[in-house]
Amino acid sequence: MTTGTTTSRALAEASPVGAAAAAGTVQATAPGAAGPRTGATSSGRRKRRSPRDVLLRASVPTAILALWFLGSAQGWIDEKQFPAPWQVGSAFVELVSTGVLWENLSVSLGRVAVGFAIGGLLGLTLGVVAGLFRLGDQLLDPTLQMLRTIPFLAIAPLLILWFGIDERPKIIIIAAAALFPLYLNTHSGVRNVDRKILEAGKVFGLRGLGLVRHVILPEAIPSVLVGLRVSLSVSLLALIVAEMSNAPRGIGFLMVSAQQYFQMDVLVVCVLIYAVWGLSVDLVVRLLERVLLPYKRLGRKP
């Protein structure tokens, strides 16, 4: 019991990630110390963004929207080239009321969910294997480094020839786009763990899976989250490409249809949906970061 407590404290001193990973061990072996630690964590979690921070983040989008309104109202922006905000709003309401928006959006959400789940899981698994084992690195990394240089846009025609125009080519394109950023960042995070932290874990008896679980994987979490953010963004780009290639439904199909019928307001609605989607994905990753890396938030200056 004393050895477990000492190991956790040593890892906590060596790295903040080690402190987060060892928190469960510390609380389990030293119940008396759980109260103050929990209180400190709770007080840190109660911190909220200041109004100034929120205003600064919203200032640029608000200014762009205000200029758009002003330019359209004053006639500075030609409505034939770019629709006014109220026209875009009317198009959005019509798409929602007729059910066309949700019919296409739900299909796009399903495609990106399946494609990202496949590609993300493969990228994470291969990154961990190649990062932990020299043989895995020698077998996997050269091939994956070669494949990642091939633009996923280039394989779209080939996939259509192989699988037709059903869902499989679209999901494969999204999965391929999601795989490589997550693989690269996971591989880098696992391979570049500080040797001092590894030695500290070994000195206190951590070996094999214990060392991987309590030291290596927690230390790799920041790199994995960076890869997750990039993967989700690239997956959205791949979704647009996949849906604009003979897709019967989806936001990409809606954009192609609006382009053919010169529906500029619908095009802008689709672009704004992609923008909100990308922002939502970024917020989800930030939330994961707050949960998995609490030391970053607790140590941040107000």
Side-chain angles (χ1 to χ4, degrees):
M1 185 174 296
T2 305
T3 304
T5 306
T6 308
T7 304
S8 301
R9 287 176 178 172
L11 293 178
E13 293 173 359
S15 167
V17 180
T25 307
V26 172
Q27 292 176 1
T29 56
R37 290 176 183 269
T38 304
T41 304
S42 300
S43 63
R45 287 179 179 173
R46 285 195 293 267
K47 291 181 180 179
R48 294 292 184 269
R49 283 180 182 160
S50 64
R52 180 175 177 272
D53 183 57
V54 175
L55 288 175
L56 286 175
R57 290 177 180 273
S59 59
V60 174
T62 303
I64 294 175
L65 186 60
L67 289 174
W68 184 17
F69 266 95
L70 180 62
S72 299
Q74 297 295 326
W76 301 337
I77 301 176
D78 187 359
E79 293 184 356
K80 295 181 179 179
Q81 298 295 325
F82 199 80
W86 46 87
Q87 293 176 322
V88 175
S90 299
F92 176 76
V93 171
E94 182 179 355
L95 289 172
V96 172
S97 61
T98 57
V100 173
L101 181 60
W102 175 246
E103 179 184 355
N104 290 277
L105 181 59
S106 60
V107 173
S108 296
L109 288 172
R111 284 174 182 151
V112 78
V114 174
F116 178 78
I118 296 173
L121 183 60
L122 283 174
L124 187 63
T125 303
L126 294 175
V128 171
V129 171
L132 288 177
F133 305 105
R134 181 179 297 274
L135 180 60
D137 182 64
Q138 293 171 339
L139 292 177
L140 296 174
D141 192 63
T143 302
L144 291 173
Q145 293 289 353
M146 177 182 63
L147 291 177
R148 78 177 181 86
T149 61
I150 302 175
F152 59 85
L153 302 179
I155 66 173
L158 188 61
L159 292 175
I160 291 175
L161 289 176
W162 284 348
F163 302 108
I165 59 173
D166 60 2
E167 294 298 306
R168 285 177 294 177
K170 301 171 183 60
I171 291 175
I172 292 174
I173 290 173
I174 297 169
L179 187 152
F180 296 108
L182 200 50
Y183 164 78
L184 290 173
N185 284 274
T186 303
H187 178 264
S188 175
V190 172
R191 296 279 290 181
N192 295 324
V193 175
D194 193 341
R195 290 187 175 273
K196 294 180 180 179
I197 302 174
L198 291 175
E199 291 300 327
K202 291 177 181 178
V203 165
F204 290 99
L206 291 177
R207 295 289 189 277
L209 291 178
L211 189 66
V212 172
R213 177 184 174 188
H214 293 291
V215 178
I216 296 177
L217 292 183
E219 283 291 318
I221 286 176
S223 295
V224 173
L225 289 177
V226 172
L228 180 64
R229 179 173 295 179
V230 176
S231 257
L232 287 168
S233 301
V234 177
S235 296
L236 183 59
L237 176 61
L239 172 71
I240 298 173
V241 174
E243 289 188 336
M244 295 182 73
S245 302
N246 299 318
R249 287 183 300 171
I251 298 298
F253 163 76
L254 194 61
M255 290 186 70
V256 173
S257 177
Q259 178 188 14
Q260 292 174 347
Y261 292 101
F262 299 98
Q263 296 174 313
M264 188 69 68
D265 49 356
V266 176
L267 276 172
V268 176
V269 169
C270 294
V271 171
L272 291 177
I273 288 173
Y274 282 128
V276 172
W277 191 343
L279 178 61
S280 302
V281 164
D282 188 69
L283 291 176
V284 170
V285 177
R286 287 177 182 270
L287 179 61
L288 283 175
E289 185 179 279
R290 290 168 65 89
V291 173
L292 297 176
L293 304 176
Y295 67 90
K296 291 185 65 176
R297 180 163 47 93
L298 297 177
R300 184 181 298 166
K301 295 181 180 180

